Amino acid sequence: MLIIFYIFAALSVFGALGVLFLRNPIHSALSLVGTFFCLGAIYVMLNAEFVAVIQVLVYAGAIMVLFLFVLMLLSSKDSGDYVNKWTIGKILAGLLSLGIFVQIAGLFTAENLELGPKGTYPLEVVEEVGSIALIGRLLFTDYILAFEIIAVLLLVAVIGAVVIAKRRFQ
Amino acid sequence: MIPIEHILLLSALLFTIGVMGVMLRRNVIVIFMSIELMLNAVNLSFVTFARSMDSMTGVVFIFFIIVVAAAEAVVGLSIILSIYRTRKTLNIEEFNLLKW
């Protein structure tokens, strides 16, 4: 179990580094799809099957296909030249992100992490009822207002995308 | 059982790579993909904390985060498409209409 987790973790970090370093943006997008698949496998190991399924369906399946569509539609041939030529800026960016990593990692590995009381859904309950049933029940009871707002947000996003991307004829 | 520190460290590492992508790359679509990577790193820590705290709230939040990410990708890509029509480039240095 642990070995499989480390393999998928290494593959996902590898894919993320591919996004960072590959010159061709289409290669970056495909490498990001690999990262999303590996994260989906890690979600399965964490007993979150529903999240794993929507990760693969929505992220790797829908969002990344949209990215690839736009990349192939725009087909900019000179994109390899889009590099930051300011060396001091690169060094500053590296130092800043190192600082961010140290901060987050220090917070996550702190000894006296105050996490509050435990919830009411231990692993046995989740496996007995099923995680999809529990999420559905929570979505339509405790989080019904957020659910309705997110539906409106999706509608607004669809209409906004059509309006913004529409070609204007004179 | 996987130790939660290792999963959280993986999440921190993916988030940092996303931050570096935003700061180092000049292609606007790659910057957008780095933002998606950061959202995914946060999702991973949400799932980890939800599992280790015996809670279901983190998993429900991920549902909302993924929907918001999808809406953001759709609107952002259509904005990029319409900027490309006037500027004919994806280099973020050229997107300076709002600069003064």
Side-chain angles (χ1 to χ4, degrees), chain A residues 9 13 16 30 34-35 50 54 60 70 75 90 100 108 111 122-123 127 129 135 138 146 153 156 164-165:
Chain A
V13 171
L30 291 175
T35 302
F50 175 69
I54 55 172
V70 172
S75 75
K90 275 186 193 171
I100 290 173
F108 279 162
E111 288 295 322
L123 198 54
E127 274 176 354
V129 185
I135 292 169
L138 276 174
L153 175 81
V156 170
I164 293 170

Side-chain angles (χ1 to χ4, degrees), chain A:
Chain A
M1 189 73 167
L2 209 55
I3 299 292
I4 302 171
F5 167 71
Y6 286 130
I7 291 171
F8 277 117
L11 280 176
S12 63
V13 171
F14 198 67
L17 287 175
V19 178
L20 186 53
F21 289 118
L22 286 175
R23 272 292 151 82
N24 190 338
I26 291 181
H27 296 168
S28 293
L30 291 175
S31 138
L32 192 59
V33 171
T35 302
F36 288 165
F37 268 108
C38 296
L39 285 178
I42 293 173
Y43 292 152
V44 172
M45 280 180 232
L46 287 169
N47 296 87
E49 290 86 2
F50 175 69
V51 180
V53 168
I54 55 172
Q55 169 87 9
V56 172
L57 275 183
V58 177
Y59 255 120
I63 297 182
M64 291 319 291
V65 167
L66 196 65
F67 272 92
L68 283 172
F69 254 127
V70 172
L71 274 174
M72 289 170 182
L73 207 63
L74 300 186
S75 75
S76 72
K77 291 165 195 70
D78 59 335
S79 66
D81 304 331
Y82 299 168
V83 283
N84 195 349
K85 294 183 182 70
W86 193 38
T87 318
I88 304 169
K90 275 186 193 171
I91 296 167
L92 276 178
L95 284 177
L96 187 60
S97 36
L98 189 71
I100 290 173
F101 177 72
V102 169
Q103 284 287 322
I104 302 174
L107 180 68
F108 279 162
T109 53
E111 288 295 322
N112 48 359
L113 200 58
E114 196 66 57
L115 284 176
K118 286 224 169 194
T120 48
Y121 298 100
L123 198 54
E124 300 82 50
V125 177
V126 174
E127 274 176 354
E128 191 194 318
V129 185
S131 71
I132 299 177
L134 283 175
I135 292 169
R137 204 176 292 165
L138 276 174
L139 268 183
F140 286 102
T141 54
D142 290 2
Y143 299 98
I144 182 70
L145 183 64
F147 187 76
E148 300 289 344
I149 291 172
I150 218 95
V152 176
L153 175 81
L154 271 182
L155 180 69
V156 170
V158 169
I159 296 172
V162 171
V163 169
I164 293 170
K166 189 178 64 180
R167 208 178 278 277
R168 285 174 187 81
F169 293 105
Q170 269 82 24

